[in-house]
PDB file of all heavy atoms in Angstrom:
ATOM      1  N   LEU A1221     139.493 124.963  58.639  1.00  0.00           N
ATOM      2  CA  LEU A1221     140.031 126.250  58.699  1.00  0.00           C
ATOM      3  C   LEU A1221     140.125 126.935  57.415  1.00  0.00           C
ATOM      4  O   LEU A1221     139.877 128.218  57.387  1.00  0.00           O
ATOM      5  CB  LEU A1221     141.430 126.249  59.410  1.00  0.00           C
ATOM      6  CG  LEU A1221     141.482 125.819  60.828  1.00  0.00           C
ATOM      7  CD1 LEU A1221     142.966 125.946  61.414  1.00  0.00           C
ATOM      8  CD2 LEU A1221     140.653 126.741  61.764  1.00  0.00           C
ATOM      9  N   ARG A1222     140.273 126.301  56.444  1.00  0.00           N
ATOM     10  CA  ARG A1222     140.424 126.907  55.078  1.00  0.00           C
ATOM     11  C   ARG A1222     139.058 127.611  54.713  1.00  0.00           C
ATOM     12  O   ARG A1222     139.129 128.625  53.878  1.00  0.00           O
ATOM     13  CB  ARG A1222     140.820 125.832  53.948  1.00  0.00           C
ATOM     14  CG  ARG A1222     139.834 124.821  53.827  1.00  0.00           C
ATOM     15  CD  ARG A1222     140.277 123.805  52.709  1.00  0.00           C
ATOM     16  NE  ARG A1222     139.337 122.744  52.512  1.00  0.00           N
ATOM     17  CZ  ARG A1222     139.323 121.645  53.133  1.00  0.00           C
ATOM     18  NH1 ARG A1222     140.082 121.502  54.239  1.00  0.00           N
ATOM     19  NH2 ARG A1222     138.423 120.688  52.855  1.00  0.00           N
ATOM     20  N   ILE A1224     137.071 129.030  56.934  1.00  0.00           N
ATOM     21  CA  ILE A1224     137.080 130.340  57.726  1.00  0.00           C
ATOM     22  C   ILE A1224     137.684 131.445  56.839  1.00  0.00           C
ATOM     23  O   ILE A1224     137.254 132.549  56.794  1.00  0.00           O
ATOM     24  CB  ILE A1224     137.600 130.095  58.969  1.00  0.00           C
ATOM     25  CG1 ILE A1224     136.899 129.127  59.721  1.00  0.00           C
ATOM     26  CG2 ILE A1224     137.743 131.500  59.792  1.00  0.00           C
ATOM     27  CD1 ILE A1224     137.501 128.942  61.229  1.00  0.00           C
ATOM     28  N   MET A1225     138.845 131.086  56.228  1.00  0.00           N
ATOM     29  CA  MET A1225     139.665 132.045  55.497  1.00  0.00           C
ATOM     30  C   MET A1225     138.970 132.765  54.421  1.00  0.00           C
ATOM     31  O   MET A1225     139.227 133.796  53.925  1.00  0.00           O
ATOM     32  CB  MET A1225     140.927 131.410  54.989  1.00  0.00           C
ATOM     33  CG  MET A1225     141.834 130.827  56.034  1.00  0.00           C
ATOM     34  SD  MET A1225     143.261 129.913  55.361  1.00  0.00           S
ATOM     35  CE  MET A1225     143.837 129.064  56.787  1.00  0.00           C
ATOM     36  N   LEU A1226     137.867 132.092  53.863  1.00  0.00           N
ATOM     37  CA  LEU A1226     137.198 132.522  52.695  1.00  0.00           C
ATOM     38  C   LEU A1226     136.067 133.626  52.966  1.00  0.00           C
ATOM     39  O   LEU A1226     135.686 134.359  52.117  1.00  0.00           O
ATOM     40  CB  LEU A1226     136.504 131.308  51.963  1.00  0.00           C
ATOM     41  CG  LEU A1226     137.323 130.280  51.469  1.00  0.00           C
ATOM     42  CD1 LEU A1226     136.586 129.126  50.873  1.00  0.00           C
ATOM     43  CD2 LEU A1226     138.364 130.701  50.399  1.00  0.00           C
ATOM     44  N   ALA A1241     136.709 134.190  65.056  1.00  0.00           N
ATOM     45  CA  ALA A1241     136.696 132.795  65.026  1.00  0.00           C
ATOM     46  C   ALA A1241     137.167 132.269  66.302  1.00  0.00           C
ATOM     47  O   ALA A1241     137.992 132.812  67.107  1.00  0.00           O
ATOM     48  CB  ALA A1241     137.794 132.295  63.918  1.00  0.00           C
ATOM     49  N   ALA A1245     140.219 124.215  66.928  1.00  0.00           N
ATOM     50  CA  ALA A1245     140.948 124.349  65.680  1.00  0.00           C
ATOM     51  C   ALA A1245     141.663 125.614  65.437  1.00  0.00           C
ATOM     52  O   ALA A1245     142.628 125.836  64.800  1.00  0.00           O
ATOM     53  CB  ALA A1245     140.086 124.047  64.464  1.00  0.00           C
ATOM     54  N   VAL A1246     141.187 126.727  66.175  1.00  0.00           N
ATOM     55  CA  VAL A1246     141.706 128.032  66.029  1.00  0.00           C
ATOM     56  C   VAL A1246     142.838 128.371  67.014  1.00  0.00           C
ATOM     57  O   VAL A1246     143.624 129.378  66.747  1.00  0.00           O
ATOM     58  CB  VAL A1246     140.546 129.062  66.271  1.00  0.00           C
ATOM     59  CG1 VAL A1246     141.008 130.495  66.279  1.00  0.00           C
ATOM     60  CG2 VAL A1246     139.418 128.953  65.199  1.00  0.00           C
ATOM     61  N   SER A1249     146.205 129.232  65.609  1.00  0.00           N
ATOM     62  CA  SER A1249     146.147 130.168  64.547  1.00  0.00           C
ATOM     63  C   SER A1249     146.132 131.525  64.939  1.00  0.00           C
ATOM     64  O   SER A1249     145.394 131.836  65.994  1.00  0.00           O
ATOM     65  CB  SER A1249     145.172 129.849  63.505  1.00  0.00           C
ATOM     66  OG  SER A1249     145.242 128.526  62.954  1.00  0.00           O
ATOM     67  N   SER A1250     146.551 132.509  64.120  1.00  0.00           N
ATOM     68  CA  SER A1250     146.300 133.987  64.423  1.00  0.00           C
ATOM     69  C   SER A1250     145.205 134.496  63.677  1.00  0.00           C
ATOM     70  O   SER A1250     144.754 133.892  62.668  1.00  0.00           O
ATOM     71  CB  SER A1250     147.669 134.710  64.154  1.00  0.00           C
ATOM     72  OG  SER A1250     147.860 134.806  62.750  1.00  0.00           O
ATOM     73  N   ALA A1251     144.782 135.653  63.970  1.00  0.00           N
ATOM     74  CA  ALA A1251     143.673 136.279  63.251  1.00  0.00           C
ATOM     75  C   ALA A1251     144.014 136.514  61.757  1.00  0.00           C
ATOM     76  O   ALA A1251     143.275 136.342  60.841  1.00  0.00           O
ATOM     77  CB  ALA A1251     143.324 137.626  63.906  1.00  0.00           C
ATOM     78  N   SER A1252     145.325 136.929  61.572  1.00  0.00           N
ATOM     79  CA  SER A1252     145.743 137.218  60.178  1.00  0.00           C
ATOM     80  C   SER A1252     145.832 135.886  59.419  1.00  0.00           C
ATOM     81  O   SER A1252     145.543 135.933  58.149  1.00  0.00           O
ATOM     82  CB  SER A1252     147.109 137.879  60.265  1.00  0.00           C
ATOM     83  OG  SER A1252     148.104 137.109  61.019  1.00  0.00           O
ATOM     84  N   ASP A1253     146.245 134.781  60.093  1.00  0.00           N
ATOM     85  CA  ASP A1253     146.273 133.460  59.473  1.00  0.00           C
ATOM     86  C   ASP A1253     144.908 133.067  58.981  1.00  0.00           C
ATOM     87  O   ASP A1253     144.792 132.511  57.843  1.00  0.00           O
ATOM     88  CB  ASP A1253     146.706 132.325  60.366  1.00  0.00           C
ATOM     89  CG  ASP A1253     148.117 132.418  60.797  1.00  0.00           C
ATOM     90  OD1 ASP A1253     148.980 133.152  59.979  1.00  0.00           O
ATOM     91  OD2 ASP A1253     148.523 132.021  61.870  1.00  0.00           O
ATOM     92  N   LEU A1254     143.828 133.396  59.689  1.00  0.00           N
ATOM     93  CA  LEU A1254     142.470 133.008  59.295  1.00  0.00           C
ATOM     94  C   LEU A1254     141.748 134.042  58.575  1.00  0.00           C
ATOM     95  O   LEU A1254     140.555 133.823  58.146  1.00  0.00           O
ATOM     96  CB  LEU A1254     141.708 132.712  60.666  1.00  0.00           C
ATOM     97  CG  LEU A1254     142.352 131.597  61.431  1.00  0.00           C
ATOM     98  CD1 LEU A1254     141.560 131.502  62.774  1.00  0.00           C
ATOM     99  CD2 LEU A1254     142.127 130.200  60.746  1.00  0.00           C
ATOM    100  N   ASN A1255     142.261 135.233  58.362  1.00  0.00           N
ATOM    101  CA  ASN A1255     141.649 136.361  57.599  1.00  0.00           C
ATOM    102  C   ASN A1255     140.484 136.807  58.372  1.00  0.00           C
ATOM    103  O   ASN A1255     139.397 137.058  57.631  1.00  0.00           O
ATOM    104  CB  ASN A1255     141.356 135.871  56.186  1.00  0.00           C
ATOM    105  CG  ASN A1255     141.067 137.022  55.174  1.00  0.00           C
ATOM    106  OD1 ASN A1255     141.570 138.169  55.469  1.00  0.00           O
ATOM    107  ND2 ASN A1255     140.395 136.661  54.171  1.00  0.00           N
ATOM    108  N   VAL A1256     140.590 136.876  59.648  1.00  0.00           N
ATOM    109  CA  VAL A1256     139.425 137.374  60.426  1.00  0.00           C
ATOM    110  C   VAL A1256     139.948 138.545  61.287  1.00  0.00           C
ATOM    111  O   VAL A1256     141.130 138.824  61.395  1.00  0.00           O
ATOM    112  CB  VAL A1256     138.945 136.241  61.353  1.00  0.00           C
ATOM    113  CG1 VAL A1256     138.352 135.131  60.512  1.00  0.00           C
ATOM    114  CG2 VAL A1256     139.921 135.774  62.394  1.00  0.00           C
ATOM    115  N   PHE A1258     139.533 138.716  64.742  1.00  0.00           N
ATOM    116  CA  PHE A1258     139.944 138.270  66.067  1.00  0.00           C
ATOM    117  C   PHE A1258     139.806 136.779  66.164  1.00  0.00           C
ATOM    118  O   PHE A1258     138.820 136.143  65.730  1.00  0.00           O
ATOM    119  CB  PHE A1258     139.100 138.980  67.154  1.00  0.00           C
ATOM    120  CG  PHE A1258     139.604 138.732  68.455  1.00  0.00           C
ATOM    121  CD1 PHE A1258     140.640 139.420  69.004  1.00  0.00           C
ATOM    122  CD2 PHE A1258     138.842 137.955  69.489  1.00  0.00           C
ATOM    123  CE1 PHE A1258     141.152 139.194  70.299  1.00  0.00           C
ATOM    124  CE2 PHE A1258     139.245 137.790  70.767  1.00  0.00           C
ATOM    125  CZ  PHE A1258     140.413 138.417  71.152  1.00  0.00           C
ATOM    126  N   ALA A1259     140.920 136.163  66.723  1.00  0.00           N
ATOM    127  CA  ALA A1259     140.853 134.848  67.042  1.00  0.00           C
ATOM    128  C   ALA A1259     140.708 134.593  68.581  1.00  0.00           C
ATOM    129  O   ALA A1259     141.700 134.924  69.309  1.00  0.00           O
ATOM    130  CB  ALA A1259     141.997 134.044  66.489  1.00  0.00           C
TER     131      ALA A1259
END
Side-chain angles (χ1 to χ4, degrees):
L1221 292 181
R1222 63 183 181 275
I1224 297 177
M1225 301 173 191
L1226 299 175
V1246 175
S1249 300
S1250 67
S1252 59
D1253 291 336
L1254 298 172
N1255 198 23
V1256 300
F1258 190 69

